[in-house]
Amino acid sequence: MTQHKFDCHMILLLLHPSTGNALVESLQSCPATNPSMLNVHLVPHTHDDVGWLKTVDQYYYGVIVFSDRNNIQHAGVQYILDSVIDQLQKDPARRFIYVETAFFYRWWKQQNQSTQRIVTQLVNEGRLEFINGGWCMSDEATTHYSAVIDQMTLGLRFLNDTFGECGRPRVAWHIDPFGHAREHASIFAQMGYDGFFFGRLDYQDKARRMKTKEMEMLWRASESLTPPLADLFTGVLPNGYNPPEGFCWDQSCNDAPIRDDPDLEDYNVDEIVQKFLNASYRQAGFYKANHIIMTMGSDFQYENANLWYKNMDKLIKYVNALQAKGSKVNVLYSTPSCYLQELNLANLTWPLKTDDFFPYADDAHDFWTGYFTSRPALKLYERLSNSRLQTCNQLEVLGGPKSKSGPFGEGDSDTMSKAMGVAQHHDAVSGTEKQHVAYDYARRLATGWAHCEVLVRNSLAILSGSEAPRVFCENLNISVCPLTESSHKFSMNVYNPLGRTVSWPVRLPVNGSVYSVTDANGRAVDSQVGNVFISLKCTCYIYDMKSSCLLPLLSVSINNKSVTFDETTGLLSSLTNLETNQTIQLTQNFYWYNASAGNNKESPQTSGAYIFRPNSSDPFVINKTAETQIVTVSSTVQEVTQWFSPWVSQVVRLYEGHRELELEWTVGPVPVADGLGKEVITRLDTDIKSSDYFYTDSNGREVLERRKDYRPTWELKQTEPVAGNYYPINSRAYIKDDKHQLTVVTDRSQGASSLYNGSLEIMLHRRLLYDDYRGVGEPLSEPGDFSDGLVARGRLLLTFTPPDTAADVHRPLAQGMVLQPLLSFQDGTPSANTKLEFSGLQTDLPPAVHLLTLSQWDEDTVLIRLEHQYQAKESKTHSQPVTVNLQKLFSTLDVLGASEMSLGANQWKEDMDRLQWNTSKPLPLSAKDPSPWEVTLNPMEIRTFLLRVRQL
Amino acid sequence: MTQHKFDCHMILLLLHPSTGNALVESLQSCPATNPSMLNVHLVPHTHDDVGWLKTVDQYYYGVIVFSDRNNIQHAGVQYILDSVIDQLQKDPARRFIYVETAFFYRWWKQQNQSTQRIVTQLVNEGRLEFINGGWCMSDEATTHYSAVIDQMTLGLRFLNDTFGECGRPRVAWHIDPFGHAREHASIFAQMGYDGFFFGRLDYQDKARRMKTKEMEMLWRASESLTPPLADLFTGVLPNGYNPPEGFCWDQSCNDAPIRDDPDLEDYNVDEIVQKFLNASYRQAGFYKANHIIMTMGSDFQYENANLWYKNMDKLIKYVNALQAKGSKVNVLYSTPSCYLQELNLANLTWPLKTDDFFPYADDAHDFWTGYFTSRPALKLYERLSNSRLQTCNQLEVLGGPKSKSGPFGEGDSDTMSKAMGVAQHHDAVSGTEKQHVAYDYARRLATGWAHCEVLVRNSLAILSGSEAPRVFCENLNISVCPLTESSHKFSMNVYNPLGRTVSWPVRLPVNGSVYSVTDANGRAVDSQVGNVFISLKCTCYIYDMKSSCLLPLLSVSINNKSVTFDETTGLLSSLTNLETNQTIQLTQNFYWYNASAGNNKESPQTSGAYIFRPNSSDPFVINKTAETQIVTVSSTVQEVTQWFSPWVSQVVRLYEGHRELELEWTVGPVPVADGLGKEVITRLDTDIKSSDYFYTDSNGREVLERRKDYRPTWELKQTEPVAGNYYPINSRAYIKDDKHQLTVVTDRSQGASSLYNGSLEIMLHRRLLYDDYRGVGEPLSEPGDFSDGLVARGRLLLTFTPPDTAADVHRPLAQGMVLQPLLSFQDGTPSANTKLEFSGLQTDLPPAVHLLTLSQWDEDTVLIRLEHQYQAKESKTHSQPVTVNLQKLFSTLDVLGASEMSLGANQWKEDMDRLQWNTSKPLPLSAKDPSPWEVTLNPMEIRTFLLRVRQL
């Protein structure tokens, strides 16, 4: 028997049932294994989506929801946890892992003290183990790292506060997400996880890995961070996350129970044992060690855990009984971390992985690349909500305790944190949930913001000294704001959550024709109705639709850049960077792929919420020409509107002082009366010699190189020339050659590809007529508020530079897109003693440093994350270590102490002691901190501190 | 709060969870109620069919069975009991009832001592209560009282042996059977049950009872037994056996769980509480007392009992919380016996019921009268198996301990007892199970008999002194017996399980043409190949198919009776009793009703396993004429064969010394290639002036008067002129007028009716093309062994007498049909010291006395049931008290002691203390025993004794 390092164990007091005597027994957390045998680790688990076919609350309580007259899932998480806790108590050998803290948290607070004590003991003994432990199991393709880190922190903190060290998850567990982002692996590594397991990867990749025993590997998840900082042991699970065929004993399964009473008919022990031995040996053929893992569970299983445990108890008993007759298979209850520990002890060498696991295909024509774009409005709202949550968090810190209970009532950021936590789920922001569930996510975010609004009002009242009513205009995107439209005199506050000054265009709907606009210092702002743009911390642009003009045009330009339009087609035709004096030919248009209806001879696969499968590789152009109209021409903004069809239009804008070209697209309602599902893209065709290469970000941070019809780790047999080349973009994509780089910064997650030399396409919207057979059971056809289908609107920001200075532009531009200013309005004139300007920071952060997190932790502590926002080598200027003094950050907070934490904030940095793997040896960090207060950030590094503070 | 008599309670030791101190608390078995409120008794229960869509073993283990690609039921009883026991432990207020001992027994023996102790405590505290408690919940229409009493005894004994008095069920519980037999109520009363609840009754009857608050009543279940011997308090449950609508919280249900966390969405406590109050008040409107019962459960529910209890806990909490605000509803966990006790204490007057609850209709065209005949071969096999089990039991007693372990190996009667136990189930002998389950019942009976065969061989070896091999010929009904067909010399043993000498025709297939047949005393028996019939204890009839003859005929007769055949049609034309010199015109023919395919404008109801619904009231005649052939004419038997069609034939037989006319019918395979389902009847049309009246037995005992288009207890609106007049017959039916009574004794349960004056029809076989939507999900179309459909063969015995002597003939005739002689064969000549004749009884029992039970109980005790087999007043000769001396019964057993027991043998007679009800006062028995050994039986009385015996 091997010895185990895993040290979270306790003395267990067992009350002997017949004598009542207390037996004292010491239990090690990990079960004993047998080094001379094949050890089969059974991992009892449930996979509990925090929303999918039902809302998260419906899943918690087990509400039955009907869809097309069939009930869709019983699935009641409250009962799962009840049942598992009962069953774990019946035998100390039994184990269970729990993953989704959003559910566990709800359950825990409904338990009485006695149950809480029992659960704590089970956790302390390693019988109940938390795995992953975030608020949800996040999607990897469509999430932004900021929100992912937040949701992980939310879950891990609850576990840490409730159970301490024994509740700290050691393994990341993304068994269901549809492809895996390298940035997620990097985040998990920085959070201190020892390993990572997942279930889904490309079927060709899996086949090869099984053959070469590369199902388990070391993932080096960053090109910037020094190994092993972002190294993560990664295992592909053998059966997705299901049990081997024939061994599913859940209520929801149909496999034969073990019938071991020889007095009854159909005794089947011998048959089942043999089948299990066969399955074990087969699986062992794909893995390196003499330990293999079997996931014993699936979606919402263990609602009646007795079924599982009773049959697994028997399986273990009868399989291991054969050891006496020479069998070399040893089966045991285990957990991913106990399995991982055995792999670590096995001292093997593991293959190295440096790219990612996108796109995911489970068959030749089944590429899960549609969800990169599915539900574009939800994806935007989620992103906007993140911005609002960061603002809310910051204002909670800056405003102090009265932010939560002040002149405008009780407010909080927790509601929004939790709403954002569930929105990161792999069937939430991914767009792969049912319509009623998508509404629920949006409603939660709105409720979260309503709680934040109170907090923000309180905080701004404290910071400004004005308790005058303050409104937020939620509908500025459709030019609606009752206050500005009716008031003759109003003031606007702009809160900028970034760590530095930013220039931001603001449009407000007004009814008057003459306005005087002044800034915080009372100075007149160069403003005008219909057309004003100024560069200041508080930036206003007051606009009136009536003052548009129609002109023949050839080009528009503002100081540093210009674009031309084709006279015949009205489409963009070139883009010039006047600073660098470079020009490219650039044609942009809108197209739609005809979504497969499944009536294709190669495969019945349809396009759906998950899957993108065009009927043809050639998209239909929406219009070869655009009706083009100059709306505004001034020294601060030039604005051109293009009409492609009744359901596709675009506004092209150039702002003074900005380096980007803004394309504000409006798509929808996508017409489907012709019986054709449509996947709408915009395509930029340039003369950049990008060949087959293009670049996409991973969760909004590091950028990966992509190559058409190619995968870095296996010989790809391409079967879907379009869908098989789509990748998720969360913040940007670019193409480049030696001289030119065209970067597109997006406002939300989307799918993108480059199918031709010099071309970059981005999928904007999708409306489909068929379900795609991955369980959601609905075609993705979102209803609109005012029409038969959803209208989506968004912005693409184009920057055009030489490659070696591209990051200097797109990095801050993308962060500005993520953390947008919050506008609020007060009627009338501010009272005399109102403070009109305030900065929480003493000074702007250095250009390379991003303020990722600033939130209240405990009464006297705040959590801060500082991020180096440049990759190694991408910027001559900024890809360098940079130092920040923690004591000199805040204008109103005195920093009394600082303790560095793991990225997940559930462990002191100094206590982090991850398992080491043969492939990588720890190296010293490249730069050290000059002093305890002065912390140095290396490229792409995020440092997390708990600061003890006092309000000045 | 009311005081409770129910005395089965115990001291409960609770270990306080936080201090470990033992708290001593006394719990009364029944929960407190509130006399000033409406008390709602929630009765958590599961209804576990011992076979239906799955076999009993499949149900026990929870095997998934697929039917038309859908899995048909998860249903795992092992998990139900696991789960309920767990949940009961969580709160002493929680209660559960368990009903089917066949399942409980299996589960119990798989439990460890610790669980057994817990369960015992729960039973002692009344938290787990056994209800009904037979091996199964028997069918009431198609069962014979002998097997019903046996299966009840089997279950009750297990409970008594395991739990003692606290395990004794006090309430009979037939929530699912499809109509209710008066004899069942009588049996339950005699078994000591305090009350009876059921779920199904005619929809018109139910509507009326709800209106008049007659849902609860006193059922006087015998016309012969002195009240209150057969009086049984009977309650109709409000919702079948389901919970009120909206309150089903099982895994298998779709009702909303109680969502009581105000932090989550969709808090629904107020809505659910209001709905429950409404349901309670509505139900209270149909019942007399301020106590109402709600069955909280259904088929195979509580597999995950937590779902039920968690939500019921909340329901009770929130409903009762309203009492503080003036609500007058008090809801509590309860059991049927606690509810019954409250009704008893309420001291109300209840209506009296004296007829039965047949037929059952749940809608105007939905009469559950098809199952009276469904699966005729299974029904026969079950009846034959009862005969064999009685023989097996008797020979176990007579042969002594070596019967179970003797020269032929290990044998037992338990296997057969259990197989018969499950065969009584209301989806077993009823014929309403799936085909694969019907096979399983038959297989179990065959296995049971295989165990009995060994016992019988051992016993006969002991009793005869010959250990020579002995075979049983299972296929004599199709003239197959390898031994008699091949051997030149063999001996036959005939074991007669009746308490008196009987004459029995025997046919054996032989290949020789000359045989010498001798009896036990070596005397030559008047025998002949092709034709022999003798009247002896051992009776042989050796028959060769080749010796048939074809003659024109007009009539056949044997001493006491004669029949004539119509020369033109070949049908029976008259029947004469030569003893009484009375003759009736009697035409008999075969017909089929065209089964409804559901395409009828009144209702989509089809004919199926349960439902009989002819398309037309006029059946099709199979043939107006029969090809008729005299097969045998001798002094001992006259035999005429009639051929009606390739699939319908009949042999008409008259035996010397017998008073009955035997009609051996053969029907099948019923052709359905014409797309028409067929329900085959034979109809006897006579000139008896029976008007609308006819008579049918109840479970083979007392006879009830039936009247066409009439129900004794309500104004019937007849909607199905044929199906609505069908009644079950288990042993006999008759029509009569002042002078003539024509009685038909059957060999199995069948459906029968009299639709015309002088007419009696019996349904023999059914083959249908559609399911009838009652869950079985299959059309009743039984496959045959050698053809495309099942061939059924059976016998109807006709007796024709004056009414006042009819019982003297049909009572013994019917008992002889139930308990048939067992034939066994040995090759060659018996060895010299073989004892050729043996009687277990010293002498024949008196004509009125039937030996109902003789079986080994414990090592030194045997169980005996003596039955008065005549109703009061039906026989001048026999409807009188009759006395038997228990010490003088047996030839080889010395009776050392006798203790009288309840009919179920789970209580001493003297301890029986049933609840008394206002309607009836106990009266003294009409006849008393002359001495402790001499026991007197009154008409229809069954007396049960445990005899302490010693083998002589």
Side-chain angles (χ1 to χ4, degrees), chain A residues 678-695:
Chain A
K678 297 182 180 61
E679 328 220 20
V680 181
I681 62 163
T682 186
R683 196 172 74 208
L684 304 161
D685 292 302
T686 72
D687 56 357
I688 293 174
K689 295 170 193 66
S690 60
S691 181
D692 288 343
Y693 291 87
F694 58 111
Y695 300 82

Side-chain angles (χ1 to χ4, degrees), chain A residues 137-427:
Chain A
M137 181 185 294
S138 57
D139 182 58
E140 301 194 39
T142 68
T143 46
H144 190 269
Y145 72 96
S146 166
V148 171
I149 292 170
D150 279 358
Q151 75 85 8
M152 288 302 299
T153 304
L154 185 65
L156 294 174
R157 183 174 185 189
F158 172 79
L159 296 178
N160 202 46
D161 288 353
T162 309
F163 300 106
E165 174 63 11
C166 288
R168 183 169 67 80
R170 287 142 196 267
V171 164
W173 184 256
H174 269 214
I175 54 181
D176 194 24
F178 332 123
H180 302 283
R182 202 177 67 184
E183 188 59 32
H184 260 73
S186 173
I187 287 171
F188 290 140
Q190 294 172 67
M191 285 181 171
Y193 286 96
D194 284 321
F196 177 44
F197 293 94
F198 64 72
R200 298 183 189 270
L201 79 170
D202 183 280
Y203 69 107
Q204 296 179 13
D205 194 12
K206 185 174 184 184
R208 180 191 66 85
R209 289 181 184 278
M210 286 166 73
K211 210 149 103 182
T212 57
K213 295 197 174 195
E214 294 189 40
M215 295 285 274
E216 292 166 330
M217 70 205 84
L218 196 77
W219 195 351
R220 182 148 293 163
S222 170
E223 290 170 42
S224 298
L225 298 174
T226 312
L229 272 185
D231 287 356
L232 189 66
F233 181 91
T234 299
V236 180
L237 295 167
N239 305 300
Y241 52 93
N242 298 305
E245 200 185 323
F247 296 92
C248 186
W249 285 308
D250 194 70
Q251 175 82 32
S252 62
C253 292
N254 297 327
D255 291 337
I258 297 184
R259 282 162 284 175
D260 59 344
D261 184 342
D263 287 357
L264 301 192
E265 297 301 319
D266 307 327
Y267 176 90
N268 65 352
V269 171
D270 301 340
E271 174 196 338
I272 287 200
V273 164
Q274 192 53 52
K275 194 171 173 182
F276 185 80
L277 293 177
N278 294 346
S280 299
Y281 281 119
R282 182 175 180 280
Q283 183 179 332
F286 308 138
Y287 289 84
K288 288 191 166 182
N290 67 337
H291 291 266
I292 58 174
I293 185 171
M294 289 183 179
T295 42
M296 304 304 276
S298 196
D299 290 1
F300 294 96
Q301 294 198 354
Y302 287 77
E303 191 164 329
N304 192 358
N306 178 41
L307 278 63
W308 262 114
Y309 283 111
K310 193 170 191 179
N311 284 288
M312 283 191 291
D313 283 351
K314 291 178 183 176
L315 181 73
I316 292 169
K317 174 179 160 190
Y318 293 116
V319 169
N320 290 351
L322 288 187
Q323 291 170 6
K325 296 182 183 171
S327 165
K328 291 290 184 193
V329 172
N330 184 44
V331 54
L332 58 143
Y333 284 119
S334 187
T335 67
S337 58
C338 289
Y339 170 67
L340 186 69
Q341 183 176 294
E342 296 285 355
L343 295 186
N344 187 259
L345 290 168
N347 210 24
L348 300 168
T349 300
W350 307 97
L352 195 70
K353 162 92 175 173
T354 56
D355 62 324
D356 67 357
F357 289 96
F358 284 116
Y360 166 55
D362 54 1
D363 209 341
H365 302 284
D366 310 47
F367 278 84
W368 297 47
T369 53
Y371 79 98
F372 300 159
T373 298
S374 296
R375 302 194 184 279
L378 180 64
K379 281 181 165 68
L380 179 69
Y381 191 51
E382 182 277 330
R383 189 66 61 88
L384 179 66
S385 296
N386 180 50
S387 176
R388 288 172 166 181
L389 174 59
Q390 302 309 324
T391 293
C392 185
N393 284 336
Q394 291 179 13
L395 285 170
E396 185 178 354
V397 171
L398 298 173
K402 286 190 180 159
S403 307
K404 294 176 73 176
S405 182
F408 293 99
E410 308 283 318
D412 66 81
S413 57
D414 295 350
T415 308
M416 188 67 160
S417 289
K418 288 172 186 161
M420 278 297 290
V422 299
Q424 304 312 306
H425 169 57
H426 57 274
D427 290 303

